[in-house]
């Protein structure tokens, strides 16, 4: 059992500034998560040496692992800081650092804009005819809706992108990354979305798309929502081959 | 008129995104402002589902019954035509969401599945697992991204709204002042109409079930600029949440909708583990007192009964305001399929498996029925005239509000799964009405003199320069905690006039201490503390609106319960509270409620 909680937080005052590590100590209480600790530091921003400092800056919103905002490296592993309980971590100092695949804004806060841009690239939407009343949507088998639901839980947190050896958010033109590929699969398996699956396949067949994945499986291991990303990538590959053949014949 | 008007939408939760879609669909360009990337808006937290009387279960449900359940649930304080319009449009809204790709849970025949929720006897709540808000928000977010890719929507994410830009104190609204939360620059933006969709004020209570961005600060910014704030005292306490040091995590009403039972041991102070307490020694107090609605009574009643059992009778678990919420009689497969997402939250944060051990739950601040005052245009047959620019307009022309930040639809108490619906319905009204308003302007904002915008921005620049220089002894986060503790202690389930008076004193004391804050972070780059100090002031302003509204209202109605005045008093209090900002504090006036469709009756659920 710990008597105190020691944090080593990697800080950076701005995107172009050098980074440094600052230590903080808190009294132990059961059932704390990392955000509750960061909040306590903000109420009393003094580092381990007793020097007054500015509170570390971090991103969060929902505090229940559904908005995707609070991702950071906790002891080197990308995860949601709101759902990481102190009691679940080994008893030594806890290291917090910003994700490395995205530009740092300040301290633990990063810019995940490339992930939202990728959703544009893959045409991540169902092209409905309009919002006027067109009656009920298509019927869907219950099992199919359940599988779809699993992919719909992707909260753009970026854990998978961080873990993927082939993704580099500072140059996403190399490889689009696992989360957008999971979403491509999600839209292509929707009954209406399937009607323009080809459009999305075209978007991920290029150099920065499917061929960028080396099937290292790291992404699946870190996804907090347990989204079967590699299954999606495998299915997309099959569809892409078929799509490639049909476009060939179409010509 | 030469060019097209431009609309600003502030907030990208369900209400804001639906508004954007409706505006963009009319070919009108939109600027969308949000603190967080809109996909991370608080709506993502909604768990249980969204109501619509589609009657797939063959229970003779109908929009008319849905409408009546809603106004009765709200203890007859909601203006009736809008509630009716909402209930009648609900089925087509669900169909639209389904077409947009929301993976709603299905029946064996492939139809939409519906579950039960509080305050109704029908299966009326469509759901996607137990994280419905997430799926709905993403579906709307995707449609907005489609318009963004076409160039009709420009997103300004990472911006904080500060105030509307008004041509004169009476309006019209010609744009907004906002702060870029990275560069910390304050800037004015032009618009021909502005729609506020900035969500609820849960953070006024410190810890609530709300997201950390739900400070109500944007609504308070409008209130301070002259927008009327209505029914502020009606704050919903959700009967079932999990306490945490950082926030209260909701345990959705869907847990009861799917069969969850609330109980305490019949013997006071019984320390046996719940599994060892036999059925005959458990008190299912809601089922006993309300045989018809049982565990699915409306939230105000549920929260009050739990308070009664725990505080008045002293029968709460561990001597606290805690009771069991029990799902252990349901199969694991059923629970995982219908409630997986919320049971995971409990497991993750408490450590027990709710499939085998009954959950221990507390009441928590959850939702604000009150908010910015908005108008509407009824038709002769008690529906809404959708061609009117009045719908969802505040008392300032050209300034609209939609979603949890406004006060319509839920009266004195909101029914579960009606919020998501009201947000989306509000967007379908506010979008078109703001465009109609803007199209009828003589002069577009683009052609106005720059002076108005420069003046508005510089006023706020000065305010933030002052905040950045504050160097007193008070810590803003500690003041916030004190505010929350006072509000939770005195302005939640049970309200007493003495304590309300003391609370207002305390808030004014905190306002004085606010002036002695010392800012611990002076960086001019991505510094969250400076905007927080600003938000804290706005929370204090709203806290006074809530507390004084409660102090004045000497009756009990919906979520507002005063033991000194335990009955609903229609003769004196069937009216909306309207707070208007003044330098000395809120000025309260009252306005009649539109009860043109249904006569108020006593509310019974037993
Ligand atoms: C845990 C939980 C579960 C719930 N479950 C259900 C349910 O099952 N069914 C149901 O019907 N209702 C439910 N509700 C209620 C419902 O989720 C909310 O009322 C609803 O989502 C509010 O949506 P909104 O669009 O009004 O605002 P929000 O979704 O809160 O969005 C507000 C937006 O405004 C932006 N914003 C705020 N302030 C500013 C500012 N100053 N400047 C710029 N932008 C700003 C934010 O960035 C955000 O984009 C639940 C609520 C909670 C807390
Ligand atoms: S399987 Fe592909 S996408 Fe996933 S981590 Fe590996 S390379 Fe990246
Ligand atoms: S796939 Fe999983 S890890 Fe990747 S962004 Fe989505 S939720 Fe996060
Ligand atoms: S704060 Fe939303 S996922 Fe952690």
């Amino acid at each position: 059992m710990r008597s105190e909680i020691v944090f080593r937080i990697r800080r950076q005052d701005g995107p172009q500034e050098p980074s440094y590590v600052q230590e903080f100590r808190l009294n132990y209480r059961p059932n704390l998560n990392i955000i509750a600790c960061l909040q306590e530091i903000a109420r009393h921003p003094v580092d381990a040496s007793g020097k007054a400092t500015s509170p570390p800056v971090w991103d969060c919103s929902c505090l229940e692992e559904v908005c995707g905002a609070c991702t950071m490296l906790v002891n080197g592993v990308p995860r949601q800081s709101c759902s990481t309980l102190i009691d679940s971590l080994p008893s030594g100092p806890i290291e917090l650092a910003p994700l490395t695949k995205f530009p740092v804004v300040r301290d633990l806060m990063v810019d995940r804009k490339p992930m939202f841009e990728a959703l544009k690239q893959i045409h991540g939407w169902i092209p409905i005819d309009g919002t006027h009343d067109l009656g009920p949507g298509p019927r869907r088998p219950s099992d199919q809706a359940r599988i779809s639901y699993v992919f719909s839980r992707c909260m753009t947190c970026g854990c998978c992108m961080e873990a993927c050896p082939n993704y580099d958010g500072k140059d996403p033109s190399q490889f689009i990354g696992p989360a957008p590929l999971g979403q491509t699969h999600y839209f292509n398996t929707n009954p209406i979305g399937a009607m323009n699956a080809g459009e999305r396949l075209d978007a991920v067949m290029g150099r920065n798309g499917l061929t960028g994945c080396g099937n290292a499986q790291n992404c699946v291991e870190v996804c907090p929502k347990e989204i079967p990303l590699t299954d999606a990538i495998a299915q997309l590959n099959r569809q892409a081959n078929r799509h490639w053949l049909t476009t060939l014949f179409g010509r | 008129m030469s060019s097209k008007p431009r609309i600003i939408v502030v907030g990208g939760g369900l209400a804001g995104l639906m508004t954007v879609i409706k505006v963009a669909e009319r070919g009108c360009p939109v600027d969308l402002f949000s603190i967080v990337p809109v996909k991370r808006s608080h709506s993502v937290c909604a768990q249980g589902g969204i109501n619509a009387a589609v009657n797939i279960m063959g229970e003779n449900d109908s929009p008319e019954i849905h409408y009546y359940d809603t106004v009765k649930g709200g203890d007859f304080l909601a203006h009736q035509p809008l509630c009716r319009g909402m209930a009648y449009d609900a089925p087509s809204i669900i169909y639209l969401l389904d077409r947009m790709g929301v993976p709603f849970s299905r029946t064996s025949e492939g139809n939409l599945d519906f579950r039960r929720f509080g305050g109704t006897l029908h299966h009326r709540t469509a759901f996607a697992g137990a994280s419905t808000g997430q799926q709905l928000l993403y579906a709307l977010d995707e449609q907005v991204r489609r318009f963004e890719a076409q160039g009709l929507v420009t997103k300004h994410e990472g911006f904080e709204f500060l105030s509307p830009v008004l041509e004169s104190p009476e309006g019209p609204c010609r744009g907004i002042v906002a702060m870029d939360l990275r560069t910390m620059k304050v800037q004015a933006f032009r618009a021909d109409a502005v729609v506020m969709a900035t969500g609820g004020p849960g953070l006024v209570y410190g810890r609530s079930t709300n997201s950390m961005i739900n400070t109500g600060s944007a609504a308070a910014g409008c209130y301070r600029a002259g927008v009327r704030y209505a029914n502020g005292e009606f704050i919903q306490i959700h009967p079932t949440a999990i306490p945490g040091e950082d926030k209260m995590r909701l345990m959705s009403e869907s847990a009861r909708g799917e069969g969850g039972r609330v109980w305490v041991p019949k013997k006071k102070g019984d320390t046996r583990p719940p599994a060892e307490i036999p059925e005959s020694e458990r008190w299912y107090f809601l089922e006993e007192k309300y045989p018809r609605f049982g565990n699915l009574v409306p939230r105000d009643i549920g929260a009050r009964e739990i308070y009664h059992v725990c505080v008045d009778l002293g029968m709460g678990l561990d001597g606290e305001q805690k009771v069991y919420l029990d799902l252990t009689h349901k199969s694991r497969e059923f629970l995982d399929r219908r409630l997986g997402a919320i049971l995971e939250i409990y497991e993750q944060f408490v450590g027990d498996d709710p499939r085998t051990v009954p959950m221990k739950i507390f009441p928590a601040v959850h939702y604000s029925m009150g908010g910015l005052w908005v108008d509407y245009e009824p038709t002769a047959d008690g529906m809404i005239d959708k061609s009117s620019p009045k719908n969802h307009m505040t008392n300032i022309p050209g300034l609209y509000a939609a979603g949890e930040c406004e006060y319509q639809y839920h009266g004195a108490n909101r029914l579960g799964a009606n919020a998501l619906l009201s947000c989306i319905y509000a967007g379908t009204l506010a979008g078109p009405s703001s465009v109609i308003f803007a199209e009828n302007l003589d002069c577009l904002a683009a052609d106005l003199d720059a002076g108005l915008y420069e003046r508005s921005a510089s006023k706020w620049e000065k305010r933030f320069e002052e905040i950045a220089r504050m160097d007193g002894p008070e810590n803003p986060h500690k003041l916030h905690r004190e505010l929350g503790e006072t509000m939770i202690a005195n302005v939640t389930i049970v309200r007493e006039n003495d304590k309300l008076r003391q609370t207002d004193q305390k808030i004014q004391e905190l306002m004085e201490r606010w002036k002695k804050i010392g800012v611990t972070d002076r960086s001019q780059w991505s510094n969250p503390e400076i905007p927080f100090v600003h938000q804290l002031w706005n929370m204090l302003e709203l806290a006074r609106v809530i507390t004084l509204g409660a102090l004045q209202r000497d009756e009990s109605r919906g979520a507002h319960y005063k033991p000194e005045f335990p009955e609903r008093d229609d003769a004196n209090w069937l009216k909306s509270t309207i707070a208007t900002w003044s330098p000395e504090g809120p000025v309260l006036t009252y306005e009649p409620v539109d009860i043109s469709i249904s006569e108020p009756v006593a509310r019974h659920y037993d």
Side-chain angles (χ1 to χ4, degrees):
Chain A
M1 265 277 280
R2 13 173 138 238
S3 56
E4 65 171 0
I5 309 170
V6 179
F7 282 103
R8 294 207 180 121
I9 302 182
R10 180 157 292 281
R11 303 194 59 176
Q12 186 173 335
D13 297 346
Q16 309 305 332
E17 307 295 323
S19 73
Y20 55 97
V21 174
Q22 206 171 25
E23 201 171 282
F24 294 89
R25 284 164 197 271
L26 305 179
N27 288 330
Y28 172 82
R29 289 189 300 284
N31 279 330
L32 289 176
N33 59 33
I34 286 178
I35 302 274
C37 294
L38 289 171
Q39 288 176 339
E40 184 163 328
I41 294 174
R43 281 192 292 273
H44 187 64
V46 171
D47 74 4
S49 70
K51 197 172 74 103
T53 180
S54 61
V57 174
W58 77 94
D59 227 350
C60 75
S61 180
C62 70
L63 302 194
E64 48 192 54
E65 204 191 82
V66 65
C67 79
C70 67
T71 323
M72 56 182 78
L73 294 177
V74 179
N75 292 336
V77 180
R79 54 192 297 184
Q80 301 319 109
S81 49
C82 67
S83 56
T84 302
L85 300 186
I86 303 299
D87 295 334
S88 71
L89 297 172
S91 62
I94 299 166
E95 286 179 15
L96 303 182
L99 296 179
T100 61
K101 297 288 178 75
F102 302 94
V104 171
V105 177
R106 193 178 164 192
D107 294 344
L108 301 168
M109 188 189 263
V110 296
D111 187 353
R112 276 162 289 186
K113 198 161 189 178
M115 290 188 75
F116 294 105
E117 288 301 317
L119 292 175
K120 275 190 217 154
Q121 179 187 331
I122 64 153
H123 294 200
W125 50 75
I126 304 296
I128 57 167
D129 290 339
T131 60
H132 47 291
D133 190 1
L134 288 171
R139 287 195 185 189
R140 291 184 83 177
S142 174
D143 285 348
Q144 195 201 74
R146 215 173 303 153
I147 295 168
S148 232
Y149 171 72
V150 172
F151 283 94
S152 76
R153 300 206 66 205
C154 171
M155 54 187 181
T156 331
C157 67
C159 288
C160 59
M161 311 288 268
E162 178 73 17
C164 171
N166 294 347
Y167 178 73
D168 178 8
K170 288 156 193 158
D171 182 13
S173 65
Q174 293 303 315
F175 173 43
I176 193 168
L181 291 177
Q183 290 301 292
T184 309
H185 175 68
Y186 169 63
F187 291 108
N188 281 3
T189 47
N190 174 283
I192 303 177
M195 296 176 195
N196 60 332
E199 215 175 90
R200 289 187 206 92
L201 289 173
D202 286 336
V204 298
M205 268 163 60
R207 191 170 60 88
N208 89 333
L210 286 164
T211 48
C213 166
N215 199 21
Q217 302 280 341
N218 300 13
C219 51
V220 184
E221 267 164 44
V222 294
C223 174
K225 295 292 151 199
E226 297 172 10
I227 297 176
L229 292 162
T230 42
D231 295 354
I233 294 172
Q235 291 193 43
L236 278 175
N237 265 315
R238 279 198 293 280
Q239 284 169 16
N241 288 338
R242 225 176 305 138
H243 179 62
W244 183 74
L245 284 174
T246 32
T247 9
L248 211 67
F249 283 116
R251 274 200 218 121
Chain B
M1 218 165 40
S2 53
S3 56
K4 282 238 173 225
R6 276 193 93 83
I7 309 290
I8 282 182
V9 176
V10 188
L14 289 179
L17 294 180
M18 194 66 213
T19 306
V20 169
I21 292 168
K22 283 288 183 182
V23 174
E25 217 172 33
R26 294 180 161 231
C28 199
V30 193
D31 289 293
L32 171 57
F33 287 78
S34 171
I35 295 181
V36 290
V38 293
K39 206 179 169 182
R40 309 201 195 285
S41 294
H42 168 67
S43 291
V44 82
C45 292
Q47 304 173 342
I50 175 166
N51 285 338
V54 176
N55 194 34
I56 279 186
M57 301 305 179
E59 300 167 327
N60 294 322
D61 196 9
S62 72
E64 195 64 26
I65 305 176
H66 182 185
Y67 148 75
Y68 192 75
D69 284 343
T70 302
V71 294
K72 177 183 165 200
D75 228 347
F76 295 93
L77 198 63
H79 296 305
Q80 296 178 350
L82 271 175
C83 296
R84 192 145 175 265
M86 170 177 88
Y88 275 82
D89 273 11
S92 65
I93 285 174
I94 301 293
Y95 294 151
L96 171 63
L97 293 165
D98 191 26
R99 285 168 43 222
M100 287 177 176
V102 174
F104 281 117
S105 299
R106 301 278 158 167
T107 64
S108 54
E109 212 180 303
N111 287 314
L112 297 167
D113 200 357
F114 288 80
R115 66 170 149 227
R116 273 196 65 197
F117 244 70
T120 179
L121 293 170
H122 295 92
H123 286 77
R124 187 185 288 152
T125 306
F127 59 102
S131 61
T132 317
Q134 184 185 26
Q135 281 64 45
L136 300 190
L137 184 74
Y138 291 179
L140 298 187
D141 174 64
E142 288 148 19
Q143 295 299 321
V144 168
R145 188 163 292 106
R146 189 178 172 206
F147 286 117
E148 193 191 5
Q150 290 167 18
L152 265 174
V153 173
T154 310
K155 282 187 190 152
H156 306 261
E157 290 167 330
F159 277 75
E160 168 134 359
F161 167 94
L162 303 174
S163 161
V165 173
L166 305 184
E167 210 169 307
S168 81
E170 290 75 45
C173 175
R174 290 303 208 160
I176 67 166
V177 182
M179 181 186 223
D180 181 330
L181 294 169
R182 286 193 191 168
T183 64
M184 312 296 286
K185 285 221 160 45
V186 171
Q187 210 187 323
F189 296 85
R190 295 168 188 252
D192 300 297
V194 172
V195 184
M196 302 300 298
T198 47
L203 273 263
V204 169
Y205 285 81
R207 291 180 306 157
S208 71
T209 61
N210 287 196
S211 293
M212 302 314 283
I213 48 174
N214 289 18
T215 59
S217 182
C222 294
Y223 162 69
R224 284 169 66 185
V227 179
R228 302 157 62 180
Y229 197 95
N231 288 345
E233 66 269 33
F234 291 95
I235 297 287
Q236 178 163 79
I237 312 301
H238 199 292
T240 63
I242 320 160
E245 200 158 307
D246 50 342
K247 85 170 278 194
M248 308 293 288
R249 295 183 174 82
L250 181 71
M251 182 42 59
S252 165
E253 195 167 284
S254 52
R256 282 170 287 141
E258 299 291 3
R261 305 177 73 187
V262 172
W263 62 277
V264 290
K266 279 187 179 161
K267 199 169 86 209
K268 213 168 166 169
D270 194 332
T271 53
R272 287 175 293 175
E276 285 170 27
I277 301 178
E279 203 54 30
S280 61
E281 292 174 41
R282 300 175 175 192
W283 186 22
Y284 294 97
F285 53 92
L286 289 174
E287 296 171 28
E288 184 179 297
K289 195 155 173 189
Y290 302 95
R292 239 171 13 114
F293 282 74
N295 294 291
L296 286 173
V297 288
R299 290 175 184 171
D300 54 335
I301 296 176
R304 240 173 350 258
E305 292 296 345
I306 291 178
Y307 183 93
H308 175 65
V309 166
C310 297
V311 180
D312 300 341
L313 305 180
M315 292 179 68
L317 308 175
D318 312 325
E320 295 178 42
Q321 255 188 75
K322 259 193 296 196
V323 298
Y324 287 124
L325 171 56
D326 198 342
L327 280 163
T328 56
H329 52 288
K330 294 278 175 184
S331 82
R332 180 170 283 270
E333 187 276 328
F334 173 87
L335 293 174
D336 283 341
R337 187 158 45 82
R338 312 274 292 198
L339 299 171
I342 55 170
L343 300 185
E344 277 162 27
I345 293 179
Y346 188 85
E347 216 170 350
Q348 218 162 28
F349 288 96
V350 180
D352 292 338
D353 180 358
R355 299 165 195 87
T356 52
V357 184
M359 295 180 274
K360 287 183 175 179
I361 50 99
F362 292 65
V365 172
H366 182 58
Y367 181 88
S368 172
M369 275 70 74
L372 300 173
W373 181 91
V374 290
D375 208 350
Y376 61 95
E377 186 77 71
T379 60
D381 57 352
M383 298 296 275
I384 294 297
D385 175 0
K386 291 188 180 174
S387 66
S388 165
K390 260 170 78 177
N391 296 325
H392 280 272
M393 200 193 294
T394 66
N395 54 306
I396 305 271
L399 183 55
Y400 291 78
E404 191 173 336
C405 71
E406 45 82 3
Y407 89 119
Q408 281 288 5
Y409 302 104
H410 308 295
N413 170 63
R414 169 173 76 82
L415 290 191
N418 258 354
L420 299 181
L421 175 63
S422 67
C423 286
I424 295 176
Y425 177 67
T428 69
L429 293 181
S433 32
S434 62
V435 176
I436 296 167
F437 173 86
E439 281 171 350
N440 286 303
L441 285 169
D442 296 332
C443 157
L444 288 185
D447 303 324
L448 289 178
D449 184 57
L452 171 66
Y453 297 96
E454 285 160 11
R455 279 193 304 280
S456 311
S458 80
K459 192 181 119 199
W460 284 96
E461 265 164 26
K462 281 205 197 75
R463 169 97 171 165
F464 277 95
E465 279 163 18
E466 283 161 24
I467 292 179
R469 279 198 300 270
M470 292 173 95
D471 62 354
E474 300 281 1
N475 177 295
H477 304 284
K478 283 190 192 150
L479 291 188
H480 180 222
R481 189 171 254 209
E482 273 186 55
L483 170 67
E485 281 164 3
T486 312
M487 293 297 289
I488 285 189
N490 302 318
V491 204
T492 47
I493 300 177
V494 172
R495 297 156 172 205
E496 289 164 16
N497 283 344
D498 270 355
K499 290 190 178 158
L500 292 170
R501 263 183 228 108
Q502 287 161 18
T503 304
D504 187 49
Q505 288 300 318
K506 173 79 186 179
I507 300 168
Q508 293 185 60
E509 174 210 312
L510 290 170
M511 286 174 134
E512 283 307 310
R513 285 167 61 197
W514 182 92
K515 295 172 186 154
K516 301 194 193 87
I517 281 177
V519 172
T520 57
D521 185 352
R522 295 188 192 280
S523 166
Q524 280 301 316
W525 171 259
S526 193
N527 176 346
E529 188 155 290
I530 290 175
F532 181 73
V533 172
H534 158 74
Q535 292 158 9
L536 179 60
W537 178 266
N538 279 348
M539 287 191 257
L540 291 163
E541 295 258 11
L542 280 190
R544 288 202 75 193
V545 171
I546 295 167
T547 306
L548 291 175
L551 177 61
Q552 288 281 338
R553 187 175 279 275
D554 279 337
E555 66 157 349
S556 292
R557 182 186 298 272
H560 173 73
Y561 173 68
K562 272 189 183 171
E564 298 156 274
F565 303 92
E567 300 299 325
R568 190 174 90 195
D569 177 0
D570 284 348
N572 293 304
W573 288 104
L574 182 52
K575 52 193 184 188
S576 314
T577 308
I578 309 285
T580 309
W581 186 86
S582 86
E584 289 75 43
V587 176
L588 300 183
T589 52
Y590 294 88
E591 192 183 78
V593 180
D594 181 340
I595 48 165
S596 52
I597 305 168
S598 312
E599 192 61 32
V601 296
R603 211 166 148 237
H604 289 297
Y605 291 95
D606 44 4

